[in-house]
Amino acid sequence: NAGVMQNPRHLVRRRGQEARLRCSPMKGHSHVYWYRQLPEEGLKFMVYLQKENIIDESGMPKERFSAEFPKEGPSILRIQQVVRGDSAAYFCASSPETGETQYFGPGTRLLVL
Amino acid sequence: AQTVTQSQPEMSVQEAETVTLSCTYDTSESDYYLFWYKQPPSRQMILVIRQEAYKQQNATENRFSVNFQKAAKSFSLKISDSQLGDAAMYFCAYNWIQGAQKLVFGQGTRLTINP
């Protein structure tokens, strides 16, 4: 049973470009969560999605960040016009049901030059 | 708002000995989960152990066990017979069952194993 898949594992962008991060949940999981980890810090919640629905986006910055989880395909975290402060590790997690244990992917390390 | 506090930024232990990592949390809810996740140098987040707040019995997974004190809002992790592969950042996390599904993480404790 494959775990949570994230790609790319590393992403380098210049300021002003767009970053697209992908997450495929574990088989049978319909709940996806995105977290951000700044250097030397714990993970901070960004957004919680179910298929075609954003359930909780209370941790998402108001501008430039968006997320989706379409009926078919992976969940996408999109960052427009990236700035250096967006450099971080972005983790995706999935769970089979709400409130269940979340299993994490390997993360995407975003570096903005 | 729920918060999780790990007061030990760094800990070290001799190989084969026992170490305890501390975690306290603040919540007004009664139904929740608590977790310990491990983040080795690969930076993958690995679930170590989970505790349901309604269970009085402390969770155990092989060499890992917790001391859950609900009234004190304390959730420490004990690692017995420490191994070199246990070296990692350890994060304590909280999840409210009935409400927001986000995990709230502590700042982490970096554990070093001395051979």
Side-chain angles (χ1 to χ4, degrees):
Chain A
N1 187 13
V4 179
M5 309 287 284
Q6 288 188 251
N7 67 81
R9 296 290 303 275
H10 300 274
L11 183 61
V12 179
R13 286 287 179 265
R14 296 191 180 279
R15 281 178 296 170
Q17 291 184 320
E18 179 179 286
R20 280 185 180 238
L21 288 61
R22 295 175 188 78
C23 169
S24 296
M26 286 179 70
K27 186 176 181 180
H29 288 194
S30 58
H31 301 254
V32 166
Y33 315 80
W34 286 93
Y35 295 84
R36 178 165 63 176
Q37 185 180 31
L38 296 172
E40 304 303 319
E41 292 190 12
L43 280 69
K44 296 288 196 298
F45 169 80
M46 299 182 74
V47 62
Y48 162 40
L49 310 102
Q50 295 177 27
K51 286 284 187 182
E52 300 184 281
N53 284 304
I54 297 175
I55 308 302
D56 180 357
E57 57 181 347
S58 59
M60 288 277 271
K62 293 289 185 274
E63 298 178 348
R64 302 186 298 107
F65 285 72
S66 63
E68 63 176 8
F69 189 15
K71 187 176 180 181
E72 300 291 337
S75 175
I76 306 287
L77 179 67
R78 181 182 178 205
I79 311 172
Q80 295 178 291
Q81 299 176 330
V82 295
V83 301
R84 288 205 174 125
D86 296 333
S87 295
Y90 292 83
F91 288 91
C92 169
S94 73
S95 69
E97 294 294 338
T98 188
E100 289 291 326
T101 298
Q102 296 178 25
Y103 294 91
F104 283 81
T108 294
R109 276 77 182 168
L110 172 65
L111 175 62
V112 179
L113 301 177
Chain B
Q2 294 87 3
T3 59
V4 177
T5 301
Q6 294 178 248
S7 59
Q8 305 154 316
E10 296 184 355
M11 292 281 285
S12 64
V13 64
Q14 290 295 125
E15 192 176 3
E17 297 198 341
T18 296
V19 64
T20 299
L21 308 184
S22 300
C23 173
T24 58
Y25 58 95
D26 186 21
T27 182
S28 58
E29 305 302 331
S30 59
D31 277 337
Y32 49 87
Y33 294 128
L34 294 164
F35 304 86
W36 279 97
Y37 283 90
K38 167 186 176 181
Q39 188 177 44
S42 67
R43 303 199 69 185
Q44 171 83 48
M45 292 291 288
I46 301 167
L47 177 67
V48 175
I49 202 164
R50 174 178 113 160
Q51 175 78 45
E52 291 89 346
Y54 61 85
K55 289 186 177 179
Q56 292 188 338
Q57 186 173 5
N58 289 323
T60 298
E61 287 289 342
N62 301 314
R63 297 182 296 108
F64 298 87
S65 61
V66 298
N67 183 5
F68 174 46
Q69 302 289 331
K70 190 171 184 179
K73 296 180 183 174
S74 170
F75 183 60
S76 61
L77 174 70
K78 185 172 83 170
I79 306 174
S80 303
D81 186 25
S82 298
Q83 300 175 1
L84 294 178
D86 295 333
M89 283 289 288
Y90 285 81
F91 292 98
C92 178
Y94 162 100
N95 184 350
W96 177 30
I97 294 175
Q98 298 299 329
Q101 297 309 312
K102 57 188 176 185
L103 284 169
V104 178
F105 284 88
Q107 290 294 92
T109 297
R110 184 177 303 280
L111 178 63
T112 302
I113 311 296
N114 300 315

